[in-house]
Amino acid sequence: AQSVTQLDSHVSVSEGTPVLLRCNYSSSYSPSLFWYVQHPNKGLQLLLKYTSAATLVKGINGFEAEFKKSETSFHLTKPSAHMSDAAEYFCVVETGRRALTFGSGTRLQVQP
Amino acid sequence: EAQVTQNPRYLITVTGKKLTVTCSQNMNHEYMSWYRQDPGLGLRQIYYSMNVEVTDKGDVPEGYKVSRKEKRNFPLILESPSPNQTSLYFCASSPGWSQGGLEQYFGPGTRLTVT
């Protein structure tokens, strides 16, 4: 069975500093992986997706993620945080029955 | 505008009173799904549908029903709501494998309170 673990429930960074949100997955095959973002009182928006092409995936708003099969990781990064990045981020794995399993989420706080 | 719509956005109801939350998408997507979001648990899938007249259980289907009579609509039915179904509900749609994509597009959410 596929599963995903987000290693930090909360991350706090200062504006202008790098962001790292960690995600490990478990899968019996090479899955499709996604990062979604949810701003307060909003729906979910797709940030980026990995579907077995390039291992470094670029998304919207300057975010990127690297698929590392040897480490079963798919960490999300951004070189410089902006106040508007404050939100909850979900790492998601495709389960093989065309459905998605969500991690429990990481709340990113950006300090001025 | 391509979108997934849900109605109502907010609903307060009482235990046992049947309710339906509607979901509609205008992107001709094959795949539709319902999730509930609870603090600390992320999103958990309730039911999904790969196409018209094809539905299947997700991870937490108990207490819910769905139907998919038309491609664009996927209503969620709570026959006898209970307080443990108080949650934030999201509908999503996806092109599906045969249409070349798996990423899901989410509606704005329905906040349900059952007293």
PDB file of all heavy atoms in Angstrom, chain A residues 16-51:
ATOM      1  N   GLY A  16      12.446  35.764   3.169  1.00  0.00           N
ATOM      2  CA  GLY A  16      13.713  35.861   2.461  1.00  0.00           C
ATOM      3  C   GLY A  16      14.661  34.691   2.691  1.00  0.00           C
ATOM      4  O   GLY A  16      15.675  34.583   2.011  1.00  0.00           O
ATOM      5  N   THR A  17      14.351  33.813   3.609  1.00  0.00           N
ATOM      6  CA  THR A  17      15.196  32.640   3.874  1.00  0.00           C
ATOM      7  C   THR A  17      14.614  31.415   3.165  1.00  0.00           C
ATOM      8  O   THR A  17      13.438  31.401   2.786  1.00  0.00           O
ATOM      9  CB  THR A  17      15.316  32.364   5.371  1.00  0.00           C
ATOM     10  OG1 THR A  17      14.028  32.020   5.901  1.00  0.00           O
ATOM     11  CG2 THR A  17      15.848  33.575   6.120  1.00  0.00           C
ATOM     12  N   PRO A  18      15.439  30.364   3.002  1.00  0.00           N
ATOM     13  CA  PRO A  18      14.951  29.176   2.269  1.00  0.00           C
ATOM     14  C   PRO A  18      13.865  28.411   3.032  1.00  0.00           C
ATOM     15  O   PRO A  18      13.816  28.423   4.264  1.00  0.00           O
ATOM     16  CB  PRO A  18      16.216  28.320   2.118  1.00  0.00           C
ATOM     17  CG  PRO A  18      17.343  29.251   2.308  1.00  0.00           C
ATOM     18  CD  PRO A  18      16.872  30.284   3.273  1.00  0.00           C
ATOM     19  N   VAL A  19      13.046  27.730   2.241  1.00  0.00           N
ATOM     20  CA  VAL A  19      11.990  26.874   2.774  1.00  0.00           C
ATOM     21  C   VAL A  19      12.313  25.418   2.434  1.00  0.00           C
ATOM     22  O   VAL A  19      12.702  25.116   1.302  1.00  0.00           O
ATOM     23  CB  VAL A  19      10.622  27.242   2.168  1.00  0.00           C
ATOM     24  CG1 VAL A  19       9.543  26.270   2.640  1.00  0.00           C
ATOM     25  CG2 VAL A  19      10.242  28.670   2.521  1.00  0.00           C
ATOM     26  N   LEU A  20      12.143  24.539   3.414  1.00  0.00           N
ATOM     27  CA  LEU A  20      12.273  23.095   3.187  1.00  0.00           C
ATOM     28  C   LEU A  20      11.125  22.404   3.904  1.00  0.00           C
ATOM     29  O   LEU A  20      11.028  22.477   5.134  1.00  0.00           O
ATOM     30  CB  LEU A  20      13.607  22.559   3.705  1.00  0.00           C
ATOM     31  CG  LEU A  20      13.738  21.020   3.742  1.00  0.00           C
ATOM     32  CD1 LEU A  20      13.677  20.434   2.339  1.00  0.00           C
ATOM     33  CD2 LEU A  20      15.032  20.593   4.443  1.00  0.00           C
ATOM     34  N   LEU A  21      10.265  21.746   3.156  1.00  0.00           N
ATOM     35  CA  LEU A  21       9.176  20.956   3.728  1.00  0.00           C
ATOM     36  C   LEU A  21       9.424  19.509   3.331  1.00  0.00           C
ATOM     37  O   LEU A  21       9.518  19.187   2.151  1.00  0.00           O
ATOM     38  CB  LEU A  21       7.816  21.439   3.200  1.00  0.00           C
ATOM     39  CG  LEU A  21       7.498  22.914   3.398  1.00  0.00           C
ATOM     40  CD1 LEU A  21       6.090  23.235   2.904  1.00  0.00           C
ATOM     41  CD2 LEU A  21       7.665  23.342   4.830  1.00  0.00           C
ATOM     42  N   ARG A  22       9.496  18.632   4.333  1.00  0.00           N
ATOM     43  CA  ARG A  22       9.972  17.274   4.079  1.00  0.00           C
ATOM     44  C   ARG A  22       8.824  16.285   3.926  1.00  0.00           C
ATOM     45  O   ARG A  22       7.836  16.338   4.668  1.00  0.00           O
ATOM     46  CB  ARG A  22      10.886  16.835   5.220  1.00  0.00           C
ATOM     47  CG  ARG A  22      12.128  17.720   5.348  1.00  0.00           C
ATOM     48  CD  ARG A  22      13.040  17.211   6.461  1.00  0.00           C
ATOM     49  NE  ARG A  22      12.414  17.304   7.773  1.00  0.00           N
ATOM     50  CZ  ARG A  22      12.845  16.652   8.844  1.00  0.00           C
ATOM     51  NH1 ARG A  22      13.873  15.830   8.760  1.00  0.00           N
ATOM     52  NH2 ARG A  22      12.232  16.818  10.010  1.00  0.00           N
ATOM     53  N   CYS A  23       9.025  15.362   2.989  1.00  0.00           N
ATOM     54  CA  CYS A  23       8.014  14.347   2.709  1.00  0.00           C
ATOM     55  C   CYS A  23       8.699  13.040   2.351  1.00  0.00           C
ATOM     56  O   CYS A  23       9.561  13.012   1.468  1.00  0.00           O
ATOM     57  CB  CYS A  23       7.110  14.800   1.563  1.00  0.00           C
ATOM     58  SG  CYS A  23       5.959  13.531   0.976  1.00  0.00           S
ATOM     59  N   ASN A  24       8.316  11.976   3.023  1.00  0.00           N
ATOM     60  CA  ASN A  24       8.760  10.634   2.648  1.00  0.00           C
ATOM     61  C   ASN A  24       7.549   9.823   2.218  1.00  0.00           C
ATOM     62  O   ASN A  24       6.458   9.981   2.766  1.00  0.00           O
ATOM     63  CB  ASN A  24       9.453   9.941   3.813  1.00  0.00           C
ATOM     64  CG  ASN A  24      10.841  10.489   4.046  1.00  0.00           C
ATOM     65  OD1 ASN A  24      11.373  11.247   3.237  1.00  0.00           O
ATOM     66  ND2 ASN A  24      11.429  10.109   5.167  1.00  0.00           N
ATOM     67  N   TYR A  25       7.751   8.939   1.286  1.00  0.00           N
ATOM     68  CA  TYR A  25       6.653   8.128   0.788  1.00  0.00           C
ATOM     69  C   TYR A  25       7.008   6.663   0.885  1.00  0.00           C
ATOM     70  O   TYR A  25       8.179   6.289   0.984  1.00  0.00           O
ATOM     71  CB  TYR A  25       6.306   8.505  -0.662  1.00  0.00           C
ATOM     72  CG  TYR A  25       7.356   8.069  -1.647  1.00  0.00           C
ATOM     73  CD1 TYR A  25       7.300   6.836  -2.263  1.00  0.00           C
ATOM     74  CD2 TYR A  25       8.432   8.906  -1.940  1.00  0.00           C
ATOM     75  CE1 TYR A  25       8.276   6.429  -3.140  1.00  0.00           C
ATOM     76  CE2 TYR A  25       9.421   8.506  -2.811  1.00  0.00           C
ATOM     77  CZ  TYR A  25       9.339   7.272  -3.409  1.00  0.00           C
ATOM     78  OH  TYR A  25      10.316   6.867  -4.274  1.00  0.00           O
ATOM     79  N   SER A  26       5.978   5.863   0.853  1.00  0.00           N
ATOM     80  CA  SER A  26       6.147   4.418   0.814  1.00  0.00           C
ATOM     81  C   SER A  26       5.295   3.889  -0.326  1.00  0.00           C
ATOM     82  O   SER A  26       4.111   4.187  -0.416  1.00  0.00           O
ATOM     83  CB  SER A  26       5.681   3.790   2.134  1.00  0.00           C
ATOM     84  OG  SER A  26       5.649   2.391   2.033  1.00  0.00           O
ATOM     85  N   SER A  27       5.941   3.136  -1.219  1.00  0.00           N
ATOM     86  CA  SER A  27       5.212   2.621  -2.370  1.00  0.00           C
ATOM     87  C   SER A  27       5.891   1.369  -2.892  1.00  0.00           C
ATOM     88  O   SER A  27       7.110   1.273  -2.862  1.00  0.00           O
ATOM     89  CB  SER A  27       5.156   3.678  -3.474  1.00  0.00           C
ATOM     90  OG  SER A  27       4.506   3.170  -4.618  1.00  0.00           O
ATOM     91  N   SER A  28       5.086   0.468  -3.399  1.00  0.00           N
ATOM     92  CA  SER A  28       5.637  -0.772  -3.952  1.00  0.00           C
ATOM     93  C   SER A  28       6.098  -0.586  -5.394  1.00  0.00           C
ATOM     94  O   SER A  28       6.642  -1.497  -5.996  1.00  0.00           O
ATOM     95  CB  SER A  28       4.588  -1.881  -3.874  1.00  0.00           C
ATOM     96  OG  SER A  28       3.405  -1.466  -4.526  1.00  0.00           O
ATOM     97  N   TYR A  29       5.879   0.590  -5.943  1.00  0.00           N
ATOM     98  CA  TYR A  29       6.345   0.872  -7.296  1.00  0.00           C
ATOM     99  C   TYR A  29       6.672   2.363  -7.345  1.00  0.00           C
ATOM    100  O   TYR A  29       6.569   3.064  -6.341  1.00  0.00           O
ATOM    101  CB  TYR A  29       5.274   0.495  -8.326  1.00  0.00           C
ATOM    102  CG  TYR A  29       3.960   1.217  -8.132  1.00  0.00           C
ATOM    103  CD1 TYR A  29       3.694   2.431  -8.769  1.00  0.00           C
ATOM    104  CD2 TYR A  29       2.984   0.694  -7.290  1.00  0.00           C
ATOM    105  CE1 TYR A  29       2.504   3.096  -8.569  1.00  0.00           C
ATOM    106  CE2 TYR A  29       1.791   1.360  -7.089  1.00  0.00           C
ATOM    107  CZ  TYR A  29       1.557   2.555  -7.724  1.00  0.00           C
ATOM    108  OH  TYR A  29       0.368   3.214  -7.524  1.00  0.00           O
ATOM    109  N   SER A  30       7.091   2.839  -8.496  1.00  0.00           N
ATOM    110  CA  SER A  30       7.436   4.250  -8.610  1.00  0.00           C
ATOM    111  C   SER A  30       6.160   5.056  -8.808  1.00  0.00           C
ATOM    112  O   SER A  30       5.545   5.003  -9.861  1.00  0.00           O
ATOM    113  CB  SER A  30       8.389   4.458  -9.802  1.00  0.00           C
ATOM    114  OG  SER A  30       8.880   5.772  -9.815  1.00  0.00           O
ATOM    115  N   PRO A  31       5.743   5.790  -7.795  1.00  0.00           N
ATOM    116  CA  PRO A  31       4.423   6.426  -7.846  1.00  0.00           C
ATOM    117  C   PRO A  31       4.461   7.796  -8.499  1.00  0.00           C
ATOM    118  O   PRO A  31       5.518   8.347  -8.765  1.00  0.00           O
ATOM    119  CB  PRO A  31       4.088   6.567  -6.370  1.00  0.00           C
ATOM    120  CG  PRO A  31       5.423   6.846  -5.731  1.00  0.00           C
ATOM    121  CD  PRO A  31       6.429   6.061  -6.539  1.00  0.00           C
ATOM    122  N   SER A  32       3.295   8.357  -8.708  1.00  0.00           N
ATOM    123  CA  SER A  32       3.160   9.779  -8.999  1.00  0.00           C
ATOM    124  C   SER A  32       3.025  10.506  -7.669  1.00  0.00           C
ATOM    125  O   SER A  32       2.343  10.029  -6.759  1.00  0.00           O
ATOM    126  CB  SER A  32       1.931  10.035  -9.864  1.00  0.00           C
ATOM    127  OG  SER A  32       2.070   9.453 -11.132  1.00  0.00           O
ATOM    128  N   LEU A  33       3.696  11.653  -7.567  1.00  0.00           N
ATOM    129  CA  LEU A  33       3.713  12.419  -6.317  1.00  0.00           C
ATOM    130  C   LEU A  33       3.347  13.857  -6.611  1.00  0.00           C
ATOM    131  O   LEU A  33       3.672  14.387  -7.681  1.00  0.00           O
ATOM    132  CB  LEU A  33       5.098  12.355  -5.674  1.00  0.00           C
ATOM    133  CG  LEU A  33       5.519  10.983  -5.147  1.00  0.00           C
ATOM    134  CD1 LEU A  33       7.030  10.891  -5.063  1.00  0.00           C
ATOM    135  CD2 LEU A  33       4.887  10.720  -3.797  1.00  0.00           C
ATOM    136  N   PHE A  34       2.710  14.480  -5.641  1.00  0.00           N
ATOM    137  CA  PHE A  34       2.236  15.844  -5.821  1.00  0.00           C
ATOM    138  C   PHE A  34       2.475  16.643  -4.534  1.00  0.00           C
ATOM    139  O   PHE A  34       2.566  16.078  -3.445  1.00  0.00           O
ATOM    140  CB  PHE A  34       0.719  15.867  -6.085  1.00  0.00           C
ATOM    141  CG  PHE A  34       0.263  14.964  -7.205  1.00  0.00           C
ATOM    142  CD1 PHE A  34       0.067  13.606  -6.991  1.00  0.00           C
ATOM    143  CD2 PHE A  34       0.007  15.479  -8.468  1.00  0.00           C
ATOM    144  CE1 PHE A  34      -0.357  12.775  -8.009  1.00  0.00           C
ATOM    145  CE2 PHE A  34      -0.426  14.657  -9.491  1.00  0.00           C
ATOM    146  CZ  PHE A  34      -0.604  13.297  -9.260  1.00  0.00           C
ATOM    147  N   TRP A  35       2.559  17.945  -4.694  1.00  0.00           N
ATOM    148  CA  TRP A  35       2.440  18.871  -3.576  1.00  0.00           C
ATOM    149  C   TRP A  35       1.267  19.805  -3.868  1.00  0.00           C
ATOM    150  O   TRP A  35       1.175  20.373  -4.961  1.00  0.00           O
ATOM    151  CB  TRP A  35       3.707  19.704  -3.387  1.00  0.00           C
ATOM    152  CG  TRP A  35       4.780  19.026  -2.595  1.00  0.00           C
ATOM    153  CD1 TRP A  35       5.862  18.351  -3.075  1.00  0.00           C
ATOM    154  CD2 TRP A  35       4.881  18.972  -1.169  1.00  0.00           C
ATOM    155  NE1 TRP A  35       6.632  17.874  -2.040  1.00  0.00           N
ATOM    156  CE2 TRP A  35       6.056  18.246  -0.863  1.00  0.00           C
ATOM    157  CE3 TRP A  35       4.119  19.481  -0.108  1.00  0.00           C
ATOM    158  CZ2 TRP A  35       6.466  18.015   0.448  1.00  0.00           C
ATOM    159  CZ3 TRP A  35       4.523  19.253   1.181  1.00  0.00           C
ATOM    160  CH2 TRP A  35       5.692  18.529   1.459  1.00  0.00           C
ATOM    161  N   TYR A  36       0.397  19.937  -2.843  1.00  0.00           N
ATOM    162  CA  TYR A  36      -0.710  20.878  -2.916  1.00  0.00           C
ATOM    163  C   TYR A  36      -0.544  21.917  -1.805  1.00  0.00           C
ATOM    164  O   TYR A  36       0.024  21.627  -0.743  1.00  0.00           O
ATOM    165  CB  TYR A  36      -2.047  20.160  -2.714  1.00  0.00           C
ATOM    166  CG  TYR A  36      -2.562  19.416  -3.915  1.00  0.00           C
ATOM    167  CD1 TYR A  36      -2.105  18.132  -4.215  1.00  0.00           C
ATOM    168  CD2 TYR A  36      -3.513  19.980  -4.760  1.00  0.00           C
ATOM    169  CE1 TYR A  36      -2.584  17.444  -5.320  1.00  0.00           C
ATOM    170  CE2 TYR A  36      -4.003  19.306  -5.857  1.00  0.00           C
ATOM    171  CZ  TYR A  36      -3.539  18.036  -6.126  1.00  0.00           C
ATOM    172  OH  TYR A  36      -4.021  17.365  -7.217  1.00  0.00           O
ATOM    173  N   VAL A  37      -1.096  23.099  -2.034  1.00  0.00           N
ATOM    174  CA  VAL A  37      -1.078  24.160  -1.031  1.00  0.00           C
ATOM    175  C   VAL A  37      -2.511  24.586  -0.719  1.00  0.00           C
ATOM    176  O   VAL A  37      -3.368  24.603  -1.612  1.00  0.00           O
ATOM    177  CB  VAL A  37      -0.239  25.369  -1.503  1.00  0.00           C
ATOM    178  CG1 VAL A  37      -0.816  25.997  -2.773  1.00  0.00           C
ATOM    179  CG2 VAL A  37      -0.145  26.426  -0.405  1.00  0.00           C
ATOM    180  N   GLN A  38      -2.753  24.869   0.554  1.00  0.00           N
ATOM    181  CA  GLN A  38      -4.073  25.347   0.970  1.00  0.00           C
ATOM    182  C   GLN A  38      -3.884  26.616   1.792  1.00  0.00           C
ATOM    183  O   GLN A  38      -3.363  26.562   2.913  1.00  0.00           O
ATOM    184  CB  GLN A  38      -4.795  24.283   1.791  1.00  0.00           C
ATOM    185  CG  GLN A  38      -6.212  24.679   2.169  1.00  0.00           C
ATOM    186  CD  GLN A  38      -6.912  23.592   2.970  1.00  0.00           C
ATOM    187  OE1 GLN A  38      -6.284  22.824   3.687  1.00  0.00           O
ATOM    188  NE2 GLN A  38      -8.237  23.519   2.848  1.00  0.00           N
ATOM    189  N   HIS A  39      -4.308  27.729   1.249  1.00  0.00           N
ATOM    190  CA  HIS A  39      -4.285  28.980   2.001  1.00  0.00           C
ATOM    191  C   HIS A  39      -5.499  29.031   2.911  1.00  0.00           C
ATOM    192  O   HIS A  39      -6.509  28.365   2.649  1.00  0.00           O
ATOM    193  CB  HIS A  39      -4.239  30.171   1.058  1.00  0.00           C
ATOM    194  CG  HIS A  39      -2.900  30.342   0.397  1.00  0.00           C
ATOM    195  ND1 HIS A  39      -2.600  29.804  -0.835  1.00  0.00           N
ATOM    196  CD2 HIS A  39      -1.771  30.962   0.821  1.00  0.00           C
ATOM    197  CE1 HIS A  39      -1.343  30.094  -1.146  1.00  0.00           C
ATOM    198  NE2 HIS A  39      -0.819  30.784  -0.169  1.00  0.00           N
ATOM    199  N   PRO A  40      -5.418  29.811   3.982  1.00  0.00           N
ATOM    200  CA  PRO A  40      -6.507  29.848   4.970  1.00  0.00           C
ATOM    201  C   PRO A  40      -7.864  30.066   4.321  1.00  0.00           C
ATOM    202  O   PRO A  40      -8.034  30.977   3.500  1.00  0.00           O
ATOM    203  CB  PRO A  40      -6.103  31.012   5.881  1.00  0.00           C
ATOM    204  CG  PRO A  40      -4.615  31.046   5.792  1.00  0.00           C
ATOM    205  CD  PRO A  40      -4.282  30.664   4.373  1.00  0.00           C
ATOM    206  N   ASN A  41      -8.802  29.213   4.692  1.00  0.00           N
ATOM    207  CA  ASN A  41     -10.184  29.308   4.212  1.00  0.00           C
ATOM    208  C   ASN A  41     -10.308  29.210   2.695  1.00  0.00           C
ATOM    209  O   ASN A  41     -11.240  29.776   2.102  1.00  0.00           O
ATOM    210  CB  ASN A  41     -10.838  30.609   4.705  1.00  0.00           C
ATOM    211  CG  ASN A  41     -10.866  30.679   6.216  1.00  0.00           C
ATOM    212  OD1 ASN A  41     -11.253  29.743   6.897  1.00  0.00           O
ATOM    213  ND2 ASN A  41     -10.395  31.791   6.754  1.00  0.00           N
ATOM    214  N   LYS A  42      -9.376  28.494   2.091  1.00  0.00           N
ATOM    215  CA  LYS A  42      -9.405  28.315   0.643  1.00  0.00           C
ATOM    216  C   LYS A  42      -9.373  26.834   0.317  1.00  0.00           C
ATOM    217  O   LYS A  42      -9.084  25.981   1.164  1.00  0.00           O
ATOM    218  CB  LYS A  42      -8.192  28.995  -0.001  1.00  0.00           C
ATOM    219  CG  LYS A  42      -8.094  30.490   0.237  1.00  0.00           C
ATOM    220  CD  LYS A  42      -9.051  31.261  -0.637  1.00  0.00           C
ATOM    221  CE  LYS A  42      -8.793  32.753  -0.508  1.00  0.00           C
ATOM    222  NZ  LYS A  42      -9.777  33.528  -1.298  1.00  0.00           N
ATOM    223  N   GLY A  43      -9.636  26.523  -0.951  1.00  0.00           N
ATOM    224  CA  GLY A  43      -9.494  25.156  -1.421  1.00  0.00           C
ATOM    225  C   GLY A  43      -8.030  24.816  -1.663  1.00  0.00           C
ATOM    226  O   GLY A  43      -7.133  25.573  -1.318  1.00  0.00           O
ATOM    227  N   LEU A  44      -7.782  23.666  -2.247  1.00  0.00           N
ATOM    228  CA  LEU A  44      -6.424  23.212  -2.488  1.00  0.00           C
ATOM    229  C   LEU A  44      -5.997  23.520  -3.915  1.00  0.00           C
ATOM    230  O   LEU A  44      -6.769  23.369  -4.855  1.00  0.00           O
ATOM    231  CB  LEU A  44      -6.314  21.707  -2.253  1.00  0.00           C
ATOM    232  CG  LEU A  44      -6.329  21.298  -0.789  1.00  0.00           C
ATOM    233  CD1 LEU A  44      -7.735  21.026  -0.332  1.00  0.00           C
ATOM    234  CD2 LEU A  44      -5.452  20.089  -0.567  1.00  0.00           C
ATOM    235  N   GLN A  45      -4.735  23.894  -4.042  1.00  0.00           N
ATOM    236  CA  GLN A  45      -4.192  24.244  -5.347  1.00  0.00           C
ATOM    237  C   GLN A  45      -2.955  23.396  -5.608  1.00  0.00           C
ATOM    238  O   GLN A  45      -2.101  23.246  -4.731  1.00  0.00           O
ATOM    239  CB  GLN A  45      -3.821  25.733  -5.372  1.00  0.00           C
ATOM    240  CG  GLN A  45      -3.263  26.203  -6.696  1.00  0.00           C
ATOM    241  CD  GLN A  45      -2.832  27.661  -6.650  1.00  0.00           C
ATOM    242  OE1 GLN A  45      -2.607  28.231  -5.578  1.00  0.00           O
ATOM    243  NE2 GLN A  45      -2.705  28.275  -7.804  1.00  0.00           N
ATOM    244  N   LEU A  46      -2.844  22.865  -6.811  1.00  0.00           N
ATOM    245  CA  LEU A  46      -1.686  22.055  -7.161  1.00  0.00           C
ATOM    246  C   LEU A  46      -0.452  22.934  -7.318  1.00  0.00           C
ATOM    247  O   LEU A  46      -0.472  23.918  -8.064  1.00  0.00           O
ATOM    248  CB  LEU A  46      -1.945  21.318  -8.472  1.00  0.00           C
ATOM    249  CG  LEU A  46      -0.810  20.436  -8.987  1.00  0.00           C
ATOM    250  CD1 LEU A  46      -0.604  19.238  -8.061  1.00  0.00           C
ATOM    251  CD2 LEU A  46      -1.109  19.959 -10.403  1.00  0.00           C
ATOM    252  N   LEU A  47       0.614  22.590  -6.589  1.00  0.00           N
ATOM    253  CA  LEU A  47       1.890  23.300  -6.709  1.00  0.00           C
ATOM    254  C   LEU A  47       2.760  22.685  -7.793  1.00  0.00           C
ATOM    255  O   LEU A  47       3.346  23.388  -8.612  1.00  0.00           O
ATOM    256  CB  LEU A  47       2.667  23.232  -5.395  1.00  0.00           C
ATOM    257  CG  LEU A  47       2.473  24.302  -4.341  1.00  0.00           C
ATOM    258  CD1 LEU A  47       3.377  23.997  -3.148  1.00  0.00           C
ATOM    259  CD2 LEU A  47       2.775  25.679  -4.896  1.00  0.00           C
ATOM    260  N   LEU A  48       2.894  21.355  -7.734  1.00  0.00           N
ATOM    261  CA  LEU A  48       3.733  20.659  -8.703  1.00  0.00           C
ATOM    262  C   LEU A  48       3.432  19.167  -8.649  1.00  0.00           C
ATOM    263  O   LEU A  48       2.803  18.692  -7.701  1.00  0.00           O
ATOM    264  CB  LEU A  48       5.219  20.911  -8.433  1.00  0.00           C
ATOM    265  CG  LEU A  48       5.745  20.710  -7.019  1.00  0.00           C
ATOM    266  CD1 LEU A  48       6.029  19.247  -6.723  1.00  0.00           C
ATOM    267  CD2 LEU A  48       7.027  21.521  -6.808  1.00  0.00           C
ATOM    268  N   LYS A  49       3.911  18.445  -9.683  1.00  0.00           N
ATOM    269  CA  LYS A  49       3.698  17.004  -9.726  1.00  0.00           C
ATOM    270  C   LYS A  49       4.904  16.300 -10.317  1.00  0.00           C
ATOM    271  O   LYS A  49       5.603  16.847 -11.179  1.00  0.00           O
ATOM    272  CB  LYS A  49       2.450  16.662 -10.537  1.00  0.00           C
ATOM    273  CG  LYS A  49       2.556  17.008 -12.018  1.00  0.00           C
ATOM    274  CD  LYS A  49       1.304  16.566 -12.767  1.00  0.00           C
ATOM    275  CE  LYS A  49       1.415  16.930 -14.251  1.00  0.00           C
ATOM    276  NZ  LYS A  49       0.221  16.473 -15.020  1.00  0.00           N
ATOM    277  N   TYR A  50       5.157  15.103  -9.860  1.00  0.00           N
ATOM    278  CA  TYR A  50       6.182  14.229 -10.404  1.00  0.00           C
ATOM    279  C   TYR A  50       5.494  12.995 -10.961  1.00  0.00           C
ATOM    280  O   TYR A  50       4.735  12.325 -10.272  1.00  0.00           O
ATOM    281  CB  TYR A  50       7.178  13.805  -9.314  1.00  0.00           C
ATOM    282  CG  TYR A  50       8.026  12.644  -9.750  1.00  0.00           C
ATOM    283  CD1 TYR A  50       9.102  12.841 -10.633  1.00  0.00           C
ATOM    284  CD2 TYR A  50       7.755  11.347  -9.332  1.00  0.00           C
ATOM    285  CE1 TYR A  50       9.867  11.775 -11.065  1.00  0.00           C
ATOM    286  CE2 TYR A  50       8.516  10.280  -9.752  1.00  0.00           C
ATOM    287  CZ  TYR A  50       9.566  10.496 -10.627  1.00  0.00           C
ATOM    288  OH  TYR A  50      10.308   9.440 -11.055  1.00  0.00           O
ATOM    289  N   THR A  51       5.791  12.690 -12.250  1.00  0.00           N
ATOM    290  CA  THR A  51       5.164  11.523 -12.868  1.00  0.00           C
ATOM    291  C   THR A  51       6.184  10.732 -13.675  1.00  0.00           C
ATOM    292  O   THR A  51       5.931  10.346 -14.803  1.00  0.00           O
ATOM    293  CB  THR A  51       3.995  11.940 -13.768  1.00  0.00           C
ATOM    294  OG1 THR A  51       4.477  12.916 -14.721  1.00  0.00           O
ATOM    295  CG2 THR A  51       2.864  12.540 -12.989  1.00  0.00           C
TER     296      THR A  51
END
